[in-house]
Amino acid sequence: MSGVSSKHIVLLLLFIILFLIVAPLIARGGGFLSDINYNETISLILDETDLNQGGWNHHIDWITCSQNGNKVAFWTMAHKVGAASVRHMYVMDADGSHLKEITPAASINPRWPRLNRDGTRMFFASDYHNNISYIDTSTGTFHQNVVRSVSMDFRHPFEINAAGTKVTFMHDDITDRDCDTFGIYTASVPGTPTRVLGLHELPASDYCNANRLAFLGAADDGTPLVRWKNHDFCGNCTALFEGSARVPGEWIEYVYGLQDLPNRIITRDGRWALYHRGVVSGGGTSFSLQLVDLSSGTMTRLFDGDVERPSISPTGNLVRFNAPLAGRATIIPLANGVPGQARDTLSYHTTLIDAWNMTDIAMNGTRWFAQTSQDFGARQKIYRVDLNPDRTGAAAGQGPVIHNVSFNANMLLKDDTMRITAAVFVTDPQNDLDWVRLDGMVEYGRENVEWDTIGRAPLSAGGDSSGAPLTDDGPGGDNGDEIAGDQVYTCDDFHTRSNCDFWSHYASRGLPIKIPLRIVAKDRAGNYTIAETELGVTDNAGEITFSDSPGDGGTPDPGDGGSPDPGDGGTPDPGDGGTPDPGDGGTPSPGDGGTPNPGDGNPGDSNPDANGGSTDTDGAGLDSPGALCPVVALLALLVTLTATLRTRSGRW
C-alpha cells in the first residue's frame, strides 16, 4: 500500500471499530434526540401476602420510615379462621430486604410505631395510649415504658426528635378532672414528662376543656404546634399556636381536621409549618394550604382548595399533600420558604391513586413510602418513592430504564393538524415491561393539579386525550412503530390542541417555545419510572426540520420524495436513483438498518443471533457475542497489528 503509513492503517481500523460500536446506538436514538430529566421512581418493596403463613393472613395497617429514608416500619393485623386477630410489627430496609418481625408482647397492645432518624429505635404507644416504649431495631431489645402514664391523644399520639432521645405528646385524660394537668408535655428517653404548654396559657375564659386542644407536632427541641378553639370570639373560632404564641395571628373558622394529623407538618428546627386554613364566606368554606414562617407569622399560599394528609420534609425543602378533587401525593419544592412549581406524582401519571397511607418525607425531601391496594384488589403493598433518581432511572435497577426519546421533527407546528412521531427507547431489568406513555404538561414539574386557569394539556395524541400510550408492535400496529419488539415505543400522532387556554397562557412569552412532556414507564410488577423531556412548538413552518424516521429503524420512507432514507446506513433505497439496499425488502443485512437481524444490535431480541452468537436477553443492546464478533475480531486485529508494527520499528 504505497503512500499509506502503518499509522494510517491503525487509525482507519480504529475508526471502523468506533463506527461499529456507535452506529447502532445512533440508530437507536435517531431523529431529533431530546434531553431527559429523571423525576421519580416508584418501586414495589413488599406485598402483604409475603407475610402470610400457617393460615394467618396479614393486612398492613400503618407505615412509617426513618428520617434518613433507610428503614421502614409497619404494623399488620393478622387474621385466622377460628382465632382472635393479632397485631404484628415489622422493620425492613428501604429496598424491602432484611425484613424482621419485632412484635412486642400482645398484652401491651402496641400501636403507632415511629422511627428515629437512623432507624435504630422504633417507638410506639403501649398499654393502649398510656405509655411510650421503644425497641432497638438492630438487637430487638425491648425498652418498656420509657415514658409512663401520658394518656396520649390518639389523633396524633406523639412526636420524637431526630436522635430518638426526646418525646413530645399531649396529655388529655378526660377521666382526670384536674384541668391543670392537661396540656403538652415533653420527656427525655427515659425520663419523667414535663409540661411545656398548659391549657391555662391559651386564651379562653373557660379553658378547662381538653377537646379544644389538638396536638399537631413538635420541633426537635420539643416546642409544640397545636390547634386551639376559642368560643369567646365567635361560635367556632380556631387558631394555630406555636407554644403559647398564635401564628399567623388570626382567628378563623377552620384549622385542620382531625383526619389531617398523622404526618409531620413542622420542620425539625421549628422555622416552618403547614397551615390548613378554612374561612367561611357566603355560605361556603374557602380552603387553602399555607406555609407559615413561625418566626414572623408570614403566610405563603401553596394551594387553593381542600387538602388531606399534608407533610413537610424535616428541613423544609419539600411539601406533599393529597388534594381529593385534584390528585394525591402532590409535591411542591421549597427554597427558603419560596414555593416552586407543583407536580402530582402518584395519582395522575400512575395508577397508584389509592395511596392513602404515606410516610413522612425523608432523605432531605427525596424519598417517602406509600401503602396502597390499587391494581391489586384488597391486597396491600408498600412502595418506595424516590425523587430525582440517578441517570439509570431506578434504584438497584428495579424499575424500567428510559434511555432516550426522539422525535421525527425538531419542532411542532401550532396549527392542530401537523402530526409528529415520538419514539422512546425503554428497557426493563426484569424483562416484564407493561406500558410506556407520554403525558402533556404545562411547565416543567407542573401538572393537571394546577391547571384550573389553563385547561387541558397543550399537546395531544390519539384524538382529544392529553397523553398517549406508546407501542412496540411494529408496522401492523396503530402508532406507526417500525420494528416490533426492539424496545422502542412509538406514537405518531402528537399535535397541538387549540381548544384550551394554553396559548393565551403563553401569549406574553411568544413562540417558538419548548413544552415539557412526561414519560412514564411501568413494568408488570408495579414498578414505575417517571421522566421529563421537552418538545419545541412554533408558528413558523420554516423553522421545522424533518427526519424520515424518529430513530427506531431503517425502514425506507416511501414518501421521502427521492431523499435518501437516513435510517438505512447502506446503499440508497429504491426511488433515490441508486441500487436497492438489500435490507429494504430483501434478505436481512446485519447493521444496515433494514429488516432487523436478531442479535446484531437490536436490544431485547429473543432469537438466536444469525451471526452465530448467543441470544440478547437483557435489553441493553450490543451485548450479544454474535453482534460483537466483528468488533472483537477487529480489536484483536488492531492489537496484533500494533504489536507487529512496534516489533518492526520500535515506534509509530
Side-chain angles (χ1 to χ4, degrees), residues 39-40 289 301-304 307 317-321 323 326-334 338-346 348-349 368 387 440-452 454 516 518 532:
N39 295 105
E40 298 92 19
L289 182 65
R301 171 201 167 275
L302 299 178
F303 181 79
D304 284 331
V307 301
N317 65 339
L318 191 79
V319 169
R320 184 198 67 218
F321 57 91
R328 301 202 176 213
T330 297
I331 62 174
I332 299 177
L334 300 172
V338 178
Q341 294 173 334
R343 65 179 177 224
D344 172 357
T345 302
L346 291 184
Y348 191 74
H349 295 281
W368 71 82
L387 304 183
M441 293 167 38
V442 172
E443 291 151 349
Y444 271 119
R446 187 170 185 186
E447 302 169 349
N448 283 26
V449 70
E450 289 269 90
W451 286 4
D452 295 340
I454 299 172
R518 172 146 289 177
E532 288 177 6

Side-chain angles (χ1 to χ4, degrees), residues 485-499:
D486 65 348
Q487 297 175 297
V488 177
Y489 290 76
T490 307
C491 179
D492 60 357
D493 193 29
F494 274 93
H495 58 92
T496 59
R497 181 167 57 189
S498 61
N499 61 341

Side-chain angles (χ1 to χ4, degrees), residues 254-338:
Y254 178 92
V255 177
Y256 281 102
L258 300 184
Q259 76 276 10
D260 296 329
L261 304 181
N263 293 114
R264 169 184 287 274
I265 63 167
I266 182 173
T267 55
R268 202 162 52 205
D269 61 4
R271 170 70 186 279
W272 308 98
L274 297 180
Y275 180 32
H276 188 194
R277 184 175 182 268
V279 178
V280 175
S281 177
T285 303
S286 176
F287 292 101
S288 65
L289 182 65
Q290 307 280 339
L291 180 71
V292 178
D293 184 338
L294 295 176
S295 63
S296 65
T298 303
M299 291 190 298
T300 301
R301 171 201 167 275
L302 299 178
F303 181 79
D304 284 331
D306 200 6
V307 301
E308 296 168 345
R309 304 289 180 105
S311 182
I312 191 169
S313 64
T315 57
N317 65 339
L318 191 79
V319 169
R320 184 198 67 218
F321 57 91
N322 289 339
L325 299 180
R328 301 202 176 213
T330 297
I331 62 174
I332 299 177
L334 300 172
N336 196 30
V338 178

Side-chain angles (χ1 to χ4, degrees), residues 6-50:
S6 58
K7 181 178 180 180
H8 291 154
I9 295 174
V10 173
L11 291 176
L12 177 61
L13 288 173
L14 181 60
F15 173 80
I16 294 172
I17 291 169
L18 291 175
F19 176 80
L20 289 173
I21 294 173
V22 174
L25 298 179
I26 295 174
R28 187 60 48 204
F32 296 91
L33 286 173
S34 183
D35 291 337
I36 293 176
N37 176 41
Y38 280 91
N39 295 105
E40 298 92 19
T41 57
I42 303 172
S43 304
L44 174 66
I45 61 172
L46 182 81
D47 185 324
E48 67 182 12
T49 58
D50 298 338

